[in-house]
Amino acid sequence: MPGEGKNDVLVSYTPANFPYYEAEDAIVVVIDILRATSAICAAFINGVARVIPVKTVEEAIAYREKGYLAAAERNGEKVPGFDMGNSPYDFLEEDLKGKEVVLTTTNGTQALAAASGSHKVVVGSFLNLSALCKWLIEQDRKVVLLCAGWKNKYNMEDSIYAGAVVGELLKSERFSTTCDSAIAASHIFGIANYDLYRFLDYSSHRIRLRQLQLEKDIRYCLQRDITDIIPILEGDALVPLRKAPSRSAVFQ
Ligand code: 3SL
């Protein structure tokens, strides 16, 4: 039971568990630190206009055949024939500014699809951590943090990030939780926070990406607060959230 007058914050460690969190009225933060939600934030940092997440490679091919730019990753690797994979650096290319990009990934876009019936769906990464927490605190609504995990199994980096968000929301005193996965996530963040890169050294996905020579991507994805952009799902596409103007801006 949440604390009186406070909003609940919950963590689902995998998309398979997500239906148990009853998130229809909640804001859902989709988290895939390595690398999908970090790559999506990178795209908007670079000025991409819209990212259309799709679940399957076949859907991405159908878009590509209609002339869309399309990115596809499976098991950490770019799917042959696509313009881009899932590296944040793919989305930082100069010629993507103002463009629309279709994206399918092993886990991140599956989590986005799972969340799509919720009140609002936003994208979280270390790149926009503080801006996202500030916005969530302002919304005064239940928050469910949905970790993409790896093929419906728990992963470390997503839960560490979820723990960072839980900690900030609880600190605001506008949230409370009795969700054990949220409490556990905030503990693991407390342990990992001294050096995320080192803490993740033996995590499964870091090992997977290291074998693919993608250490540079990991470094990029673990940077904190390099943007205020919060990607939000509008219809079938992610776009940068347009924040309400502050009172002072309205009355100027
Ligand atoms: O599963 C995903 O959505 C990806 O982020 C995995 S990877 O980092 O591209 O391998």
Side-chain angles (χ1 to χ4, degrees), residues 129-201:
L129 173 63
S130 295
L132 177 70
C133 290
K134 182 171 178 284
W135 181 79
L136 290 171
I137 291 164
E138 287 163 5
Q139 302 314 300
D140 197 17
R141 186 176 278 273
K142 170 177 169 179
V143 168
V144 178
L145 303 166
L146 170 55
C147 301
W150 183 261
K151 299 184 180 175
N152 278 316
K153 294 184 184 129
Y154 174 92
N155 86 14
M156 206 96 95
E157 62 276 9
D158 296 346
S159 52
I160 288 172
Y161 177 82
V165 177
V166 169
E168 286 305 306
L169 299 194
L170 296 182
K171 226 192 291 168
S172 74
E173 298 192 358
R174 299 207 201 160
F175 286 83
S176 64
T177 193
T178 52
C179 167
D180 278 355
S181 48
I183 296 165
S186 96
H187 284 304
I188 193 174
F189 174 70
I191 299 166
N193 192 28
Y194 77 99
D195 185 341
L196 296 181
Y197 189 76
R198 278 185 66 189
F199 186 84
L200 289 172
D201 209 22

Side-chain angles (χ1 to χ4, degrees), residues 67-79:
Y68 283 78
L69 271 172
E73 166 275 329
R74 285 296 179 272
N75 299 315
E77 299 190 87
K78 177 162 98 82
V79 179

Side-chain angles (χ1 to χ4, degrees), residues 32-37 73-77 85-87 104-110 148-150 205 208-209 212 214:
D32 186 356
I33 297 305
L34 301 176
R35 297 166 290 168
T37 58
E73 166 275 329
R74 285 296 179 272
N75 299 315
E77 299 190 87
N86 189 29
S87 167
T104 185
T105 70
T106 312
N107 305 287
T109 58
Q110 317 304 319
W150 183 261
H205 199 44
R208 199 176 288 119
L209 293 176
L212 296 169
L214 292 169

Side-chain angles (χ1 to χ4, degrees), residues 101-124:
V101 181
V102 174
L103 172 67
T104 185
T105 70
T106 312
N107 305 287
T109 58
Q110 317 304 319
L112 281 161
S116 62
S118 312
H119 174 69
K120 281 183 184 160
V121 180
V122 291
V123 162

